[in-house]
Amino acid sequence: MVIPNKFPAFAPFVGKFTLRKDGPYRWLPGEGFHELFIARDHERHIPELTAEEANALVRAYRDRYRALALEKNIAYVLIFHNHG
């Protein structure tokens, strides 16, 4: 299951990009998606998964990656596994 993070580091893009300046630096606010994959047994590490479970996890990552890649304002997708 994939759900939005309760405390997201990013918010979805809602309008036009606003370039900001701070001294010699220019930056854009972080906009995007911050989601969580919820596993049935979240106490096990990835190497402890069965082949079927690992395959399902990778397929879920792939499917979400593909869906996010279709968003017109998304230029980069990062998937990482946080445990503990």
Side-chain angles (χ1 to χ4, degrees), residues 23-75:
Y25 305 103
R26 296 180 190 168
W27 56 278
L28 294 169
E31 295 176 338
F33 299 87
H34 189 174
E35 302 171 330
L36 301 174
F37 285 79
I38 307 296
R40 189 174 299 170
D41 181 0
H42 61 273
E43 293 297 323
R44 290 189 296 154
H45 295 272
I46 290 176
E48 298 171 327
L49 300 177
T50 66
E52 294 80 18
E53 291 169 327
N55 192 11
L57 178 65
V58 171
R59 278 195 322 269
Y61 286 164
R62 179 202 62 200
D63 293 348
R64 206 55 207 125
Y65 182 97
R66 287 178 175 171
L68 291 172
L70 294 175
E71 295 285 334
K72 74 176 193 170
N73 294 314
I74 298 297

